[in-house]
């Protein structure tokens, strides 16, 4: 249990950044090898031939620099081979293998070893997609820690000590055969744990700049939604008016009708005073609880709602916390997108054929 918990620490941290750093719109890379064949480089330049050119930052100020990728190795990869390059940071194959071990160990315990052979789509297995996920994790952590270095953010002594302690504890618990097969070594394990700790610290710095509106309130409701645009808005409006009358006179619940008719999968939801849909918000705040609303027009389409609850302190607090969490993720996504543009990314073709 301890081994699995410690092994999961780095994976969970990396997954956090995999979800938060790349949840928004991604810019297309100038090259295609990593983006199209592995989808690993979420932004930044890549090249197909694996030739990174001269490494180094071409910087004139904090927002005008590009760090070229060092050359990655081709052919059979050894432990010290450069498998991934993020700017002038070379990632050895052994480090990639260690990250892959974290994920494989965690998911084997949950889903079994056979899961990696299952088809993910017509061309890829789950195991192949796992390689892409590991590449994303490594690239994102490297970009974030490189940016930490530019900003002078470092681990405090106790933070470094904690990361090293956990890394050594995990390393000492590993079976010698695993250490050999997965090319794991103690110094590299400590570096991985330290970098993930530093990436987490960078996330907290960015997230800590997001403030909350302590006066925000929420309404819990059920919704029936149909999308509309300029080409069909009046027809959808008419259809929703008929539907509203039908629901209002029905002996079946609003939820029953919403589940059948709504184009949003989420029927029960919470909206609040920070919501951009002002017409929907007004109807939710002022309509009678437990009654079917009139048709509500918004820019994305039309809504009919059924208010369940409002003026609830616990719900308001949960809503504020969720808004802050979403805004923190968005702030970090934006920051990461900006940072990643400065680093050319390359991945060895040998990884893509494993």
């Amino acid at each position: 249990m301890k081994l699995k918990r410690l092994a999961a620490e780095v994976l969970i941290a990396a997954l956090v950044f995999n979800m938060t750093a790349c949840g928004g719109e991604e810019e297309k890379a100038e090259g295609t090898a990593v983006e199209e064949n592995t989808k690993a480089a979420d932004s930044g330049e890549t090249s197909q031939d694996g030739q990174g050119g001269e490494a180094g930052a071409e910087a004139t100020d904090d927002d005008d620099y590009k760090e070229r990728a060092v050359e990655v190795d081709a052919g059979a990869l050894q432990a010290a081979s450069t498998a991934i390059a993020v700017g002038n940071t070379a990632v050895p194959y052994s480090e990639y293998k260690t990250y892959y071990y974290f994920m494989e160990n965690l998911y084997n315990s949950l889903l079994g070893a056979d899961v990696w052979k299952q088809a993910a789509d017509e061309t890829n297995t789950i195991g192949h997609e796992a390689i892409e996920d590991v590449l994303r994790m490594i690239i994102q952590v490297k970009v974030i820690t490189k940016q930490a270095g530019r900003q002078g953010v470092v681990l405090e002594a106790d933070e470094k000590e904690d990361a090293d302690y956990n890394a050594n504890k995990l390393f000492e618990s590993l079976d010698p055969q695993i250490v050999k097969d997965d090319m794991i070594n103690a110094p590299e394990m400590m570096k991985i744990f330290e970098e993930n700790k530093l990436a987490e610290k960078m996330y907290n710095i960015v997230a800590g700049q997001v403030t909350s509106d302590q006066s925000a309130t929420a309404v819990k409701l059920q919704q029936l939604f149909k999308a509309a645009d300029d080409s069909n808005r009046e027809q959808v409006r008419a259809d929703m008016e008929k539907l509203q009358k039908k629901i209002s006179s029905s002996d079946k619940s609003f939820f029953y009708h919403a589940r059948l008719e709504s184009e949003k999968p989420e029927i029960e939801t919470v909206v609040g005073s920070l919501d951009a849909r002002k017409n929907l918000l007004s109807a939710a705040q002022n309509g009678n609880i437990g009654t079917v609303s009139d048709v509500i027009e918004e820019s994305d389409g039309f809504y009919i709602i059924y208010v369940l609850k409002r003026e609830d302190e616990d719900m308001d607090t949960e809503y504020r916390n969720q808004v802050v969490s979403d805004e923190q993720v968005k702030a970090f996504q934006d920051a990461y997108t900006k940072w990643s543009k400065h680093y050319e990314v390359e991945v060895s073709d040998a990884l893509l054929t494993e």
Side-chain angles (χ1 to χ4, degrees):
M1 290 296 291
K2 286 183 178 179
L3 183 148
K4 289 176 182 176
R5 180 178 61 80
L6 289 169
E9 284 189 8
V10 169
L11 176 62
I12 290 170
L15 281 172
V16 166
F17 295 110
N18 193 42
M19 290 184 290
T20 61
C22 304
E25 285 292 317
E26 297 172 0
E27 295 208 0
K28 287 190 176 293
E30 290 184 19
T32 59
V34 176
E35 183 183 7
E36 293 184 1
N37 294 333
T38 72
K39 302 177 185 176
D42 297 291
S43 54
E45 294 180 357
T46 62
S47 68
Q48 288 182 300
D49 61 10
Q51 301 301 311
E54 181 182 353
E58 302 168 356
T60 56
D61 56 49
D62 286 344
D63 293 320
D64 183 20
Y65 65 94
K66 174 68 72 174
E67 213 175 84
R68 299 174 186 170
V70 295
E71 184 176 352
V72 297
D73 292 319
L77 298 176
Q78 306 300 316
S81 301
T82 298
I84 307 164
V86 182
N88 58 23
T89 298
V91 181
Y93 183 55
S94 57
E95 184 173 345
Y96 161 82
K97 290 280 287 181
T98 303
Y99 266 95
Y100 194 91
Y101 164 76
F102 291 143
M103 182 168 67
E104 188 174 44
N105 177 67
L106 179 63
Y107 285 96
N108 278 354
S109 66
L110 296 174
L111 303 173
D114 290 340
V115 68
W116 309 108
K117 300 176 183 178
Q118 296 177 15
D121 53 39
E122 294 181 357
T123 57
N124 292 327
T125 63
I126 291 176
H128 189 271
E129 290 199 342
I131 292 174
E132 297 175 1
D133 289 340
V134 172
L135 294 175
R136 288 190 189 95
M137 293 177 194
I138 295 171
I139 291 167
Q140 289 158 11
V141 170
K142 295 299 181 183
V143 167
I144 295 164
T145 54
K146 287 171 77 67
Q147 195 65 25
R150 291 188 64 86
Q151 296 183 14
V153 178
V154 298
L155 294 180
E156 301 295 336
D158 59 332
E159 294 171 326
K160 184 178 184 301
E161 182 180 350
D162 182 62
D164 292 349
Y165 172 80
N166 286 331
N168 278 317
K169 194 169 184 64
L170 172 57
F171 180 76
E172 291 168 0
S173 70
L174 294 177
D175 184 281
Q177 191 61 46
I178 291 176
V179 171
K180 179 181 178 181
D181 292 345
D182 292 288
M183 304 178 181
I184 301 172
N185 62 79
E188 203 158 69
M189 184 81 81
M190 285 190 291
K191 181 182 76 171
I192 290 171
F193 270 68
E194 288 176 12
E195 288 185 343
N196 274 259
K197 191 82 170 177
L198 184 56
E200 180 185 8
K201 189 169 186 175
M202 285 293 285
Y203 177 84
N204 291 334
I205 289 172
V206 174
Q209 298 171 12
V210 176
T211 59
S212 62
D213 181 353
Q214 294 302 313
S215 66
T217 57
V219 181
K220 187 175 185 180
L221 54 83
Q222 293 170 356
Q223 63 180 355
L224 191 163
F225 169 78
K226 289 191 181 296
D229 56 32
D230 291 342
S231 67
N232 66 352
R233 183 165 293 272
E234 293 311 312
Q235 182 60 55
V236 176
R237 186 198 308 273
D239 291 343
M240 285 289 275
E241 292 287 357
K242 291 178 183 178
L243 188 55
Q244 193 275 343
K245 289 182 174 62
K246 176 182 175 181
I247 296 172
S248 296
S249 61
S250 173
D251 58 358
K252 297 186 181 298
S253 69
F254 180 86
F255 182 84
Y256 169 84
H257 291 284
R259 188 175 57 183
L260 288 177
E261 301 283 355
S262 183
E263 295 177 3
K264 284 184 182 289
E266 186 180 33
I267 303 302
E268 190 167 290
T269 188
V270 173
V271 301
S273 54
L274 301 177
D275 200 296
R277 297 166 297 178
K278 298 306 180 186
N279 294 335
L280 177 65
L281 179 61
S282 177
Q285 290 176 327
N286 299 312
N288 293 327
I289 294 175
T291 62
V292 179
S293 76
D294 293 333
V295 176
I296 305 159
E297 182 177 5
E298 284 291 352
S299 60
D300 58 345
F302 294 89
Y303 293 80
I304 304 171
I305 64 173
Y306 185 91
V307 176
L308 299 173
K309 181 171 63 173
R310 58 175 172 249
E311 297 180 359
D312 182 284
E313 186 174 341
D314 290 340
M315 184 173 65
D316 292 345
T317 299
E318 185 177 352
Y319 170 71
R320 292 171 196 142
N321 291 341
Q322 184 60 54
V323 169
V324 170
S325 177
D326 292 345
E327 289 181 352
Q328 288 173 336
V329 169
K330 174 73 163 57
F332 192 78
Q333 289 171 352
D334 292 344
Y336 179 85
T337 298
K338 180 180 178 181
W339 300 339
S340 63
K341 291 176 182 177
H342 300 304
Y343 304 103
E344 185 181 68
V345 173
E346 299 222 13
V347 176
S348 171
D349 288 341
L351 282 182
L352 311 182
T353 58
E354 288 195 347

